[in-house]
Amino acid sequence: MSETSRDLLRLAGAVLQPGFEGTLPPTWVRRWLGEGLGGVALFGRNFASPAQVADLTAALRAERPDVIVAVDEEAGDVTRFETWQGSSRPGNLALGAVDDVALTEAVARDLGHDLATAGITLDYAPDADVNNNPDNPVIGVRAFGADPELVARHTAAWITGLQSAGVAACAKHFPGHGDTSVDSHVDVPRIAATRAELDGCELPPFRAAIAAGVQAIMTGHLLVPAIDPERPATLSRIVLTDLLRDELGFDGAVITDGIEMKAIATRYGLEGAAVLALAAGVDAICVGGDHADEATATRLRDAIVAAVAAGELPEERLAEAAKRVEQLAAWTAQARAAAVPDRLDGIPVGLAGARRAVRVTGAASALPLAAAPHVVEFEPPRNFAIGPETPWGVAVPLAARLPGTTAARLSAAEAAGDFHTAAAGRPLVLVVRDVHRYEWMGRAVATALAARPDAIVVEMGVPASVVGATHVATYGATRANGEAAAEVLAGR
């Protein structure tokens, strides 16, 4: 192999951030790191405990000291670091409901210290989307809210807090995934806003992120005709170079959302999407949520090299992308050395934030509960970002406070079942997630309330619909949100 070919392979490897299976790096990842792989992406399957993750990242750095170790950790319903127990922090919508930027910064810094201790250097967060469509199937509680100014100030605070702990932040999903009813894991969302509307709603949080010094921005697989009517943002030079680089002035690393997501992979293929993304201005390709194997990484690397050879991807553009990845790695090394050592050990800032977010509407006099209740949790389909393994709900923490609490979890197929017998003579608690989005859930809750108007409704999603005589909104379904709701129900 010629020196030129080896250089191209090294550059192509430098711009990849693949995932892998297991709680220790497989042989192929170790080998690739020695050959120039720029980073890796960790997913829930890679986490067993903080100590185990620290061992994993140490093994990665034994092969390449400056490797970027990334994770999709939003400290909310989307959690990888605490995937098997649920996040100990309240999530973005809860923080937006409190609207205390000092709290948001403190929660993000607290998370940053945990990630840094485990050897993670890049977090694919915060979610900077403005969730101005309550029917959004994939953002929802992941956003700080529906008001652009609120989202902007909390995005900036979150970035400041995380990066002060030595972990690079990555604002997503540019240019804004909030105003859509389509999940980009499944199909291409279309943002129908005019350019003026984008300037007033979707773009302010990203402007705030750039002003706050965010080190990376993640693209959204979104078609935004007001900017580029032909290609999704991830593959659009107009969006990523003309708008993000030239107009907004961002000079950090641009990273794709999962390149295997159907919004772009179905039409362009993994290899085609990766090449087009790099040509458009992307600096790093995230892959491995679904395709976590060496064969996929090889396909992408070889496709990038072939595109350079064919003149489809300028070598200068590939070299520029690899340079930005290198600069991001250098920033993380410097930031870890200068991290703010002011973590408040022993003070659960996440639970404190979740407590402040809880809102009770209606008959607050019905709380606390007079006896151990029967809890019915309605389980909606999980979106791909949250994943199926992360626990949620109120029943478990409530049972710890009120022994004798019983519970049932019902899906759409089971929601019409008779759960009133179990609640006879006892308080009834109905726990929902985004009840406004699911007709079956709304019907089941209405039927239950007709029979038991004293039932308490706990909404752990977006509280777009307030039902029941007593309504408790948590603004998220993390472990911390569940514990805060249980405290309100049982009396703290």
Side-chain angles (χ1 to χ4, degrees):
M1 181 182 297
S2 69
E3 189 67 30
T4 299
S5 297
R6 278 193 292 270
D7 286 344
L8 282 179
L9 283 171
R10 181 185 60 78
L11 290 174
V15 302
L16 296 180
Q17 292 182 359
F20 56 86
E21 301 281 352
T23 54
L24 285 174
T27 301
W28 74 267
V29 170
R30 293 174 182 267
R31 185 177 70 254
W32 277 54
L33 288 170
E35 296 170 354
L37 180 64
V40 298
L42 303 183
F43 294 85
R45 59 179 178 250
N46 304 122
F47 289 81
S49 70
Q52 166 268 318
V53 179
D55 289 341
L56 185 156
T57 59
L60 293 169
R61 291 203 168 79
E63 305 295 337
R64 178 170 180 172
D66 64 344
V67 60
I68 293 172
V69 182
V71 68
D72 188 4
E73 176 56 61
E74 297 179 9
D77 287 23
V78 175
T79 179
R80 307 293 178 248
F81 195 74
E82 298 182 279
T83 188
W84 301 112
Q85 59 184 0
S87 178
S88 58
R89 299 171 180 92
N92 283 2
L93 191 64
L95 292 172
V98 177
D99 196 14
D100 179 348
V101 291
L103 172 65
T104 296
E105 183 176 336
V107 168
R109 182 178 294 115
D110 187 66
L111 170 66
H113 281 293
D114 276 352
L115 297 181
T117 300
I120 294 166
T121 57
L122 170 64
D123 188 3
Y124 298 143
D127 191 311
D129 300 311
V130 179
N131 194 63
N132 55 344
N133 184 342
D135 291 327
N136 195 311
V138 70
I139 303 301
V141 297
R142 300 168 64 193
F144 289 109
D147 175 58
E149 293 185 3
L150 179 146
V151 175
R153 61 178 173 265
H154 286 277
T155 294
W158 210 97
I159 290 164
T160 298
L162 185 77
Q163 294 192 164
S164 70
V167 177
C170 179
K172 62 187 182 187
H173 306 82
F174 187 81
H177 205 312
D179 189 12
T180 176
S181 58
V182 175
D183 183 348
S184 53
H185 291 87
V186 178
D187 205 347
V188 184
R190 186 177 185 275
I191 308 300
T194 65
R195 177 57 204 266
E197 290 170 336
L198 292 169
D199 283 332
C201 185
E202 279 76 11
L203 295 180
F206 291 99
R207 293 182 186 273
I210 294 168
V214 71
Q215 291 300 304
I217 287 179
M218 177 173 280
T219 66
H221 302 327
L222 318 161
L223 187 65
V224 189
I227 304 174
D228 186 340
E230 300 296 329
R231 287 185 172 173
T234 297
L235 314 181
S236 170
R237 186 170 180 82
I238 300 172
V239 173
L240 301 185
T241 300
D242 297 352
L243 175 59
L244 181 57
R245 295 286 188 205
D246 298 341
E247 184 176 335
L248 301 188
F250 179 62
D251 61 1
V254 176
I255 302 172
T256 71
D257 205 346
I259 204 71
E260 68 263 54
M261 291 165 61
K262 292 180 180 179
I264 57 174
T266 298
R267 178 176 178 183
Y268 300 96
L270 292 183
E271 298 93 325
V275 169
L276 289 172
L278 288 166
V282 157
D283 302 307
I285 306 293
C286 174
V287 67
D290 296 325
H291 301 278
D293 54 74
E294 183 178 12
T296 298
T298 300
R299 284 168 54 195
L300 294 180
R301 184 186 63 183
D302 291 351
I304 294 167
V305 171
V308 173
E312 299 168 2
L313 174 63
E315 185 175 349
E316 302 78 37
R317 169 79 271 273
L318 179 59
E320 177 187 50
K323 183 66 175 177
R324 285 211 180 93
V325 172
E326 180 184 325
Q327 290 170 342
L328 177 59
W331 181 92
T332 64
Q334 295 171 356
R336 289 198 304 273
V340 176
D342 65 347
R343 178 167 184 167
L344 302 176
D345 288 322
I347 298 178
V349 65
L351 179 57
R355 287 170 174 164
R356 291 178 61 186
V358 174
R359 302 288 186 271
V360 179
T361 304
S365 58
L367 300 173
L369 297 171
H374 181 62
V375 180
V376 181
E377 296 174 334
F378 295 94
E379 174 80 83
R382 303 284 188 101
N383 67 52
F384 289 88
I386 294 174
E389 67 277 357
T390 305
W392 72 281
V394 170
V396 171
L398 188 56
R401 291 166 175 78
L402 293 176
T405 295
T406 57
R409 177 160 290 187
L410 304 179
S411 66
E414 305 159 326
D418 178 22
F419 50 80
H420 305 290
T421 301
R426 306 169 58 192
L428 176 62
V429 178
L430 308 173
V431 185
V432 297
R433 273 174 105 168
D434 293 339
V435 67
H436 66 284
R437 291 186 51 227
Y438 301 99
E439 185 179 352
W440 66 268
M441 193 184 300
R443 286 198 308 268
V445 170
T447 299
L449 289 173
R452 288 287 304 270
D454 63 327
I456 294 168
V457 178
V458 179
E459 172 63 83
M460 302 193 77
V462 177
S465 176
V466 176
V467 295
T470 304
H471 184 273
V472 179
T474 63
Y475 296 86
T478 72
R479 176 163 52 97
N481 296 136
E483 289 175 353
E487 289 178 346
V488 170
L489 293 171
R492 175 164 60 88

